[in-house]
Amino acid sequence: MNKKKVSLKDIAEKAQVSTALVSYVLNGKEKESRVGHEIAVKIKAIARELNYEPNYLAKSLRSGKTQTIGLIIADISNPFFANIARIVEDEAKKNGYTVIIGSSDENAEKSRDLIAVFLNRQVDGFIIVSSEDSEEQIRYLLDKNVPFVLLDRHFPDLATDFVSLNSFKAAFDAGSHLIQNGYKNIGLIAYKSQLFHMQERIRGYRQSLAENRIPFQSTWLKEIGFETVEKEIRVGIDDMLAADFPVDALIFATYRLAIAGLKYINSLGLKVPDDLAIVSFGQAEVFDLYYCPITYVLQPMEELGKTAVEILIHKLKQPDADKKQILMEAKLVARDSSRLKVKVA
Amino acid sequence: MNKKKVSLKDIAEKAQVSTALVSYVLNGKEKESRVGHEIAVKIKAIARELNYEPNYLAKSLRSGKTQTIGLIIADISNPFFANIARIVEDEAKKNGYTVIIGSSDENAEKSRDLIAVFLNRQVDGFIIVSSEDSEEQIRYLLDKNVPFVLLDRHFPDLATDFVSLNSFKAAFDAGSHLIQNGYKNIGLIAYKSQLFHMQERIRGYRQSLAENRIPFQSTWLKEIGFETVEKEIRVGIDDMLAADFPVDALIFATYRLAIAGLKYINSLGLKVPDDLAIVSFGQAEVFDLYYCPITYVLQPMEELGKTAVEILIHKLKQPDADKKQILMEAKLVARDSSRLKVKVA
DNA sequence: GTTTTTAGTTTAATCGTTTAAACATACATT
DNA sequence: AATGTATGTTTAAACGATTAAACTAAAAAC
């Protein structure tokens, strides 16, 4: 960069004073530090004239604070997380923080790397959407007393701050909704994951069946591996349709599963919802644009993101405050893909 | 954070040497600086034992380099850019750089803010997807000699490095493809924008008509304002369909326009491609999932992102190298939405 | 007329690195 | 023995800011 940046020293020289005075004035400490009024005015004028911008690195090195938040999300190519990232970024900026984003791609190792890199970069704190098998990393942060907030996914056994979704309730509602609309053989396509939110979705789904006295069939639940979504989904759906009690409705536990599933359903020539009703988690333009708009679980993204930032920033100011554990409620948005079942004559 | 971080000094003390030696050893300069072999081994051992991690802030302050790239994209909620962001991040990481991302939301003022914040944060360089009216900002960077590469959009009048798409050719191909498949009345829905890539898309589209001796009708071209996409698209499409030469095919110049347009087309009950053929820029899962898969212009995202990073990093090492100006070619992916027109009897 | 206060300013250490230059030894050369 | 060279190590300044503490000079208090 051409003209080297102006520093406190430059201003000090031009004003014929020490850097200390300049620092006091520009940090609004003229009162406490009893800086002469005239000189204060002069310093401010010179600072403006030279277009002074403080050097964050120096500031941070001295203060130990970088005003930077590390955001680790599970998958940036998922529009849900991309949106969350944007919200977090905006909210952080409002509070004078910069966000650095990393995507762990649902991979514990990448997540570990990111945490290391970000710690190295001296982020003040983290907002984390945990990936599978990353519980131990969270323990580590807890142990090192690094400020962080878990977002969207949390570990029930760990005493951490978190903001997530009441997945049990959301899945329960999804199932109940389908049942109310006359569907009886309801499948769930979830990820094969020990993550709590996923287990809760499964539990909520099963509970909805149970409360309606629908005996659960093991073929109705498919748990798909992250790495082999496309293939397993095809096999899974085939299996569900060929079962003794073939499904007439499907719940997708995530956006990505829904995309893959719908593609396959399309290719089979099945008609939604007549051949197969659909409810999905996650939200996206796809769901509007599908020939039959998809019923989905509306997650309060805006609140999730904002609250996470709020909690983290509060924590940065008051490290010893009580842990905040927030479960937000989703709202089922009913569309055509789960409309009242037409009885076959 | 609990245990304060270990510094060079801690290692130095434990090894009973000066920090200089430690620094030399840990930076692999033992040879040039003739550090004793035994002591070098000892220092390394202690560093490992204490789990030493250098402090980036101090390093950066000293070196004037932060190993950080500022990425400013026009709209993070657009999957095209979200993907680009991910690619840039990955590629940068491979080269030891961290990326901080900001979304300008197609807004010059936000873009200016981001540039200021990032400069403040001492990013080593920028990768920028410019937004409308931001040419002057680019001039400013050029003038200040800040290293940067423009991505996806560039200004033909400015001598900058850039990596973008041959938009003229891509639009020309889109138009020609429709014409070849029997469509004659072809509309284009673009943004109302002075940005070069948009103007080029319009030019390419018109050229395809011209070369096929199809007289251009002014009703066929709609330029939509960023802020009022939904409304203007409805009016625009209505107008195109009611014109003297009603369109039988539509090209969308961006992903966002396509989404809005398709929604409206759906709501009108029009059948793609029989009532209206479609080709769109941008790519996304939506296009696969639509009842009639959408023909689209495949942009070489991977190459775009990687090349931008490459050029920037090269530039950081060799600031005076020649400017690289790269136009990449898009590839039309033909699907059902633009299939051979069925002649009406 | 001395002492105390108050106001205004500077000094210098500090954050954690890097690195040119100075220093100190040992060894080789004449 | 005096000088030169190689080897190994330390010193100290620098990056740009912050801030406790020291200092100075003038005003207030006794």
Side-chain angles (χ1 to χ4, degrees):
Chain A
M1 325 225 178
N2 245 349
K3 308 134 191 178
K4 54 256 162 218
K5 290 205 80 184
V6 290
S7 68
L8 275 195
K9 212 166 151 195
D10 299 323
I11 300 180
E13 266 162 24
K14 189 144 187 185
Q16 312 248 56
V17 295
S18 69
T19 61
L21 273 199
V22 181
S23 172
Y24 289 138
V25 170
L26 296 184
N27 287 297
K29 302 232 175 99
E30 11 178 337
K31 288 282 145 54
E32 301 106 286
S33 307
R34 314 172 296 207
V35 179
H37 183 252
E38 279 184 25
I39 200 73
V41 170
K42 185 173 173 192
I43 287 172
K44 281 184 201 154
I46 295 179
R48 201 156 321 140
E49 180 198 340
L50 297 186
N51 225 316
Y52 171 73
E53 292 285 346
N55 181 320
Y56 260 92
L57 294 174
K59 254 185 145 102
S60 300
L61 178 59
R62 182 86 223 288
S63 67
K65 301 268 155 267
T66 54
Q67 298 287 112
T68 302
I69 293 174
L71 171 64
I72 298 183
I73 58 186
D75 179 9
I76 184 77
S77 64
N78 179 329
F80 172 68
F81 293 125
N83 265 307
I84 289 267
R86 184 236 271 286
I87 292 163
V88 165
E89 202 189 324
D90 282 357
E91 189 65 15
K93 184 144 68 184
K94 275 186 210 148
N95 290 276
Y97 282 82
T98 301
V99 175
I100 55 185
I101 305 175
S103 176
S104 67
D105 300 343
E106 302 281 8
N107 174 332
E109 201 158 335
K110 258 196 160 177
S111 161
R112 189 197 324 275
D113 283 356
L114 281 171
I115 289 179
V117 169
F118 285 4
L119 276 177
N120 237 23
R121 294 261 165 176
Q122 323 284 132
V123 296
D124 290 343
F126 285 92
I127 295 178
I128 302 178
V129 180
S130 327
S131 52
E132 193 80 20
D133 300 322
S134 67
E135 184 165 349
E136 153 240 339
Q137 297 165 33
I138 303 301
R139 280 222 167 76
Y140 169 79
L141 293 179
L142 223 38
D143 181 54
K144 278 195 69 172
N145 220 10
V146 176
F148 69 93
V149 177
L150 298 186
L151 179 55
D152 186 58
R153 309 174 178 180
H154 69 280
F155 299 96
D157 299 339
L158 295 184
T160 72
D161 294 73
F162 67 77
V163 187
S164 42
L165 189 76
N166 187 340
S167 279
F168 171 80
K169 177 72 165 30
F172 177 81
D173 287 351
S176 304
H177 164 75
L178 284 167
I179 294 168
Q180 263 168 36
N181 276 359
Y183 302 90
K184 293 232 166 53
N185 298 355
I186 301 171
L188 172 69
I189 297 194
Y191 272 129
K192 180 189 242 73
S193 163
Q194 286 313 306
L195 287 170
F196 186 64
H197 74 299
M198 195 53 67
Q199 290 301 316
E200 284 290 280
R201 289 178 193 185
I202 294 173
R203 196 168 67 86
Y205 151 78
R206 296 193 55 161
Q207 181 71 14
S208 72
L209 295 181
E211 288 202 2
N212 289 279
R213 296 169 204 288
I214 299 181
F216 168 71
Q217 309 292 320
S218 64
T219 43
W220 290 354
L221 173 61
K222 300 296 175 207
E223 294 179 81
I224 308 285
F226 281 128
E227 312 300 335
T228 46
V229 170
E230 317 293 331
K231 204 187 96 206
E232 285 190 49
I233 268 207
R234 271 172 283 157
V235 176
I237 291 180
D238 284 346
D239 193 46
M240 282 170 151
L241 292 170
D244 282 346
F245 301 86
V247 295
D248 57 357
L250 261 187
I251 301 173
F252 291 106
T254 78
Y255 163 79
R256 193 151 293 289
L257 292 169
I259 297 296
L262 288 173
K263 274 187 199 168
Y264 186 55
I265 289 170
N266 275 354
S267 77
L268 289 178
L270 293 177
K271 273 291 161 208
V272 175
D274 299 329
D275 298 327
L276 200 56
I278 301 285
V279 175
S280 178
F281 275 72
Q283 61 244 67
E285 271 141 350
V286 194
F287 294 164
D288 295 342
L289 217 51
Y290 200 65
Y291 63 89
C292 162
I294 305 285
T295 297
Y296 66 93
V297 170
L298 175 64
Q299 284 155 285
M301 290 197 291
E302 192 88 11
E303 278 86 0
L304 282 169
K306 281 195 177 170
T307 308
V309 174
E310 239 167 57
I311 295 181
L312 180 59
I313 289 183
H314 181 256
K315 198 183 179 75
L316 291 175
K317 292 191 182 123
Q318 256 180 261
D320 303 318
D322 286 349
K323 301 237 189 290
K324 299 257 193 340
Q325 308 199 319
I326 298 181
L327 271 192
M328 295 189 171
E329 298 299 327
K331 217 184 99 199
L332 193 85
V333 179
R335 320 274 283 284
D336 272 2
S337 75
S338 62
R339 68 165 172 249
L340 210 59
K341 181 163 184 167
V342 179
K343 293 285 187 297
V344 185
Chain B
M1 327 228 176
N2 245 352
K3 308 134 194 179
K4 56 256 164 218
K5 292 203 81 186
V6 291
S7 68
L8 276 194
K9 212 166 151 194
D10 299 322
I11 300 180
E13 267 162 25
K14 189 145 185 183
Q16 310 250 58
V17 296
S18 70
T19 60
L21 272 199
V22 181
S23 172
Y24 289 137
V25 170
L26 298 183
N27 287 296
K29 303 232 174 97
E30 8 178 339
K31 288 282 145 54
E32 302 107 287
S33 307
R34 315 170 295 205
V35 179
H37 183 251
E38 279 184 24
I39 200 71
V41 170
K42 184 173 172 191
I43 286 171
K44 281 185 200 153
I46 295 180
R48 199 157 321 139
E49 179 197 340
L50 296 186
N51 224 315
Y52 170 74
E53 290 286 348
N55 181 321
Y56 260 93
L57 293 175
K59 257 186 141 100
S60 299
L61 178 59
R62 182 84 223 286
S63 67
K65 301 268 155 268
T66 53
Q67 298 287 110
T68 302
I69 294 174
L71 171 65
I72 297 182
I73 57 187
D75 179 9
I76 183 78
S77 65
N78 180 328
F80 172 67
F81 293 124
N83 266 307
I84 289 268
R86 185 236 270 285
I87 291 162
V88 166
E89 203 188 323
D90 282 358
E91 189 65 15
K93 184 144 69 184
K94 273 184 212 148
N95 289 276
Y97 282 83
T98 300
V99 176
I100 56 184
I101 305 174
S103 174
S104 68
D105 300 343
E106 302 281 9
N107 173 333
E109 201 157 337
K110 258 195 160 175
S111 161
R112 188 197 324 275
D113 283 356
L114 281 170
I115 290 180
V117 170
F118 285 4
L119 275 177
N120 236 24
R121 294 263 164 173
Q122 326 283 131
V123 296
D124 290 344
F126 285 91
I127 294 178
I128 302 179
V129 179
S130 327
S131 50
E132 193 79 22
D133 300 322
S134 67
E135 184 165 348
E136 153 241 339
Q137 297 164 35
I138 303 302
R139 279 223 167 77
Y140 169 79
L141 293 179
L142 222 38
D143 181 53
K144 279 195 68 172
N145 220 11
V146 176
F148 69 93
V149 177
L150 298 186
L151 179 56
D152 186 56
R153 308 173 179 181
H154 69 280
F155 299 96
D157 300 338
L158 295 185
T160 72
D161 295 73
F162 67 76
V163 187
S164 40
L165 190 75
N166 187 341
S167 279
F168 171 80
K169 178 72 167 28
F172 176 82
D173 287 350
S176 305
H177 164 74
L178 284 167
I179 294 169
Q180 262 167 38
N181 275 1
Y183 302 91
K184 293 230 164 58
N185 299 354
I186 300 171
L188 172 69
I189 298 194
Y191 273 129
K192 181 190 240 73
S193 164
Q194 287 313 306
L195 288 170
F196 186 64
H197 74 299
M198 196 51 68
Q199 290 301 315
E200 283 291 279
R201 288 179 193 185
I202 294 174
R203 197 167 67 86
Y205 151 77
R206 294 192 58 161
Q207 181 72 14
S208 72
L209 295 181
E211 288 201 1
N212 289 279
R213 296 170 203 287
I214 299 181
F216 169 71
Q217 309 292 320
S218 64
T219 42
W220 289 355
L221 173 62
K222 301 296 176 205
E223 293 180 82
I224 308 285
F226 281 127
E227 312 300 336
T228 46
V229 170
E230 316 294 332
K231 206 186 95 209
E232 284 190 50
I233 270 210
R234 270 172 286 157
V235 176
I237 292 181
D238 284 345
D239 192 45
M240 283 171 151
L241 292 171
D244 282 348
F245 300 86
V247 295
D248 57 358
L250 261 187
I251 301 173
F252 291 106
T254 78
Y255 164 78
R256 193 149 293 289
L257 292 169
I259 297 296
L262 288 173
K263 273 187 197 169
Y264 186 55
I265 289 169
N266 275 356
S267 77
L268 289 177
L270 293 177
K271 273 292 161 208
V272 175
D274 299 328
D275 299 327
L276 199 55
I278 301 286
V279 175
S280 179
F281 275 74
Q283 63 243 66
E285 269 141 349
V286 194
F287 294 163
D288 295 341
L289 216 52
Y290 200 64
Y291 63 88
C292 162
I294 305 285
T295 296
Y296 65 95
V297 170
L298 176 64
Q299 285 155 284
M301 290 197 291
E302 193 88 12
E303 279 87 359
L304 282 168
K306 280 193 177 169
T307 308
V309 174
E310 239 168 55
I311 294 182
L312 180 60
I313 290 181
H314 181 256
K315 199 184 179 72
L316 292 175
K317 289 188 184 124
Q318 254 179 264
D320 302 318
D322 286 349
K323 302 239 187 288
K324 299 253 192 343
Q325 308 199 319
I326 299 181
L327 272 192
M328 296 190 168
E329 299 298 328
K331 216 184 99 200
L332 193 85
V333 179
R335 322 274 283 283
D336 272 2
S337 74
S338 60
R339 66 166 173 250
L340 210 59
K341 183 164 183 166
V342 179
K343 292 287 187 300
V344 184

